[in-house]
Amino acid sequence: SSDPLKVAVTGAAGQIGYSLLFRLASGALAGDRPIELRLLEIEPALKALEGVVMELDDCAFPQLAGVQIGSDPEQIFDGVNLALLVGARPRGPGMERGDLLEANGAIFTAQGQALNKVAADDVRIGVTGNPANTNALIAMSNAPDIPQERFSALTRLDHNRAISQLAAKVGAPVTSIKQMTIWGNHSATQYPDLFHATVDGKVAAEVVDDQDWLENTFIPTVAKRGAAIIEARGSSSAASAASATIDAAHDWLFGSADNDWVSMAVRSDGSYDVPEGLVSSFPVVTEDGDWTIVQGLGIDEFSRARIDASTAELAEERDAVKELGLI
Ligand code: NAX
């Protein structure tokens, strides 16, 4: 249809927003289909956001059908087809983990409730703001009328990082790499899996044939890439996070490639013994706004231990937010 796709972005005046908005408006998500942006920020950041909107205007993007900004989620989310929840409360000095979960809990309970009330019937909600998996769980739990499969958390950046690291190791273009999977939490415990990924159709772990590299270089490099970027750039990854946010939304709405899959953190149905109800990353195929967990992959002992460690961390986060009364 040529009705504008209504896309909400929270934390729109932040670093990721500064890259994400321009790519959304230039057609990276929906091609020629017009897009209407609904930008949510906290009150003190609205002035900065006005400046970003001036720049969006100055791009004269043909597909940009309108921009609305504000600090009231019920107003901004009204009728949205896609909500990209990027804004979150970063960990400040001296902040304990419980404080962080509580601060984000306040944000994601309110946003879940607002989406429940005013979003379009076909809404899809992607959470980028950290702790992304648990923030998605909180939003989902506060939106009882929205089907739970409409919520996901972003592990596509980790997925893309894993593809890039593997491609460099084997000297192949990224297009040779298929069926990459990130399992578990978007955190240092995540498990990027080379036992199902392929390089030109061959099992990646066999092509690499170097368990020491896989275990002691590949996995930590992917899992700690965010910290390495902060160290090098002086601020956290933003353009790559925006790019992955678009990749994830694009594939969710328009479908993953044939003979391939993508990684998304979605509500577990108990597949692969990931406790039901946790928002955990899986290999999924997507079509027309729906995802399905890829079934039947063999999980060896090494992978089992890694997946279990990451989902144990997710269960701890869930228990902590349950204790805080957020879900
Ligand atoms: P910034 O701190 O630059 O921007 C965040 C913005 O969110 C700020 O402008 C802030 O005013 C706004 N905000 C805070 N509370 C809000 C609320 N209640 N409603 C609306 N807006 C609100 O962070 P940025 O670098 O853009 O990162 C955003 C989030 O993405 C962070 O939580 C970050 O940890 C997370 N990331 C997640 C990644 C992933 O792969 N899942 C990777 C990149 C990134 O680290």
Side-chain angles (χ1 to χ4, degrees):
S1 103
S2 58
D3 290 350
L5 186 71
K6 295 192 176 81
V7 181
V9 177
T10 72
Q15 280 207 92
I16 294 175
Y18 196 64
S19 176
L20 181 60
L21 303 183
F22 295 85
R23 296 202 49 204
L24 288 169
S26 71
L29 173 69
D32 290 341
R33 180 164 172 195
I35 227 172
E36 195 179 311
L37 290 175
R38 304 293 194 80
L39 309 179
L40 186 72
E41 259 297 349
I42 52 172
E43 195 75 40
L46 284 176
K47 177 148 185 275
L49 185 55
E50 280 171 22
V52 178
V53 174
M54 288 161 71
E55 287 203 77
L56 278 169
D57 289 342
D58 293 350
C59 293
F61 287 120
Q63 292 90 347
L64 187 56
V67 184
Q68 199 180 317
I69 73 171
S71 59
D72 175 2
E74 281 191 23
Q75 203 178 332
I76 293 300
F77 292 155
D78 188 27
V80 297
N81 310 108
L82 176 68
L84 301 173
L85 307 185
V86 177
R89 180 78 185 277
R91 192 190 287 250
M95 214 170 163
E96 300 288 332
R97 200 179 75 130
D99 302 334
L100 183 73
L101 290 172
E102 198 161 10
N104 279 298
I107 295 172
F108 287 86
T109 49
Q111 293 184 0
Q113 287 159 8
L115 286 162
N116 193 59
K117 214 160 158 186
V118 300
D121 285 344
D122 68 352
V123 69
R124 265 76 186 162
I125 298 135
V127 179
T128 296
N130 280 319
N133 300 54
T134 296
N135 287 341
L137 177 67
I138 294 169
M140 172 195 292
S141 306
N142 284 277
D145 304 324
I146 300 177
Q148 296 186 320
E149 63 271 15
R150 304 291 190 78
F151 290 82
S152 77
L154 188 74
T155 51
R156 185 62 174 266
L157 178 55
D158 310 297
H159 175 103
N160 289 346
R161 287 167 170 167
I163 288 175
S164 159
Q165 291 299 319
L166 174 61
K169 169 73 174 174
V170 299
V174 290
T175 48
S176 292
I177 315 287
K178 309 279 185 217
Q179 303 183 334
M180 182 59 72
T181 305
I182 304 294
W183 298 91
N185 199 0
H186 168 69
S187 77
T189 68
Q190 65 176 265
Y191 173 50
D193 176 356
L194 293 190
F195 296 97
H196 300 100
T198 58
V199 181
D200 295 321
K202 299 183 208 73
V203 175
E206 287 168 16
V207 176
V208 167
D209 193 25
D210 183 347
Q211 181 69 19
D212 178 62
W213 178 82
L214 187 157
E215 225 173 304
N216 299 312
T217 302
F218 172 73
I219 294 174
T221 299
V222 173
K224 295 178 188 160
R225 186 72 164 177
I229 287 169
I230 293 174
E231 173 73 26
R233 204 173 85 88
S235 50
S236 61
S237 45
S240 55
S243 195
T245 297
I246 291 193
D247 288 346
H250 176 274
D251 289 351
W252 195 0
L253 298 184
F254 305 110
S256 48
D258 290 344
N259 306 312
D260 202 356
W261 65 61
V262 294
S263 303
M264 275 171 87
V266 294
R267 185 185 183 281
S268 175
D269 61 355
S271 292
Y272 298 102
D273 293 325
V274 174
E276 193 181 341
L278 294 179
V279 175
S280 189
S281 188
F282 286 99
V284 300
V285 293
T286 53
E287 197 181 354
D288 290 334
D290 296 321
W291 50 264
T292 316
I293 296 173
V294 175
Q295 296 295 332
L297 304 179
I299 304 295
D300 69 7
E301 217 173 296
F302 177 79
S303 298
R304 184 75 263 161
R306 299 281 174 155
I307 295 169
D308 288 349
S310 197
T311 58
E313 181 184 53
L314 283 172
E316 269 176 41
E317 290 183 17
R318 178 204 49 204
D319 293 347
V321 297
K322 199 177 247 176
E323 213 154 286
L324 290 165
L326 300 170
I327 62 170

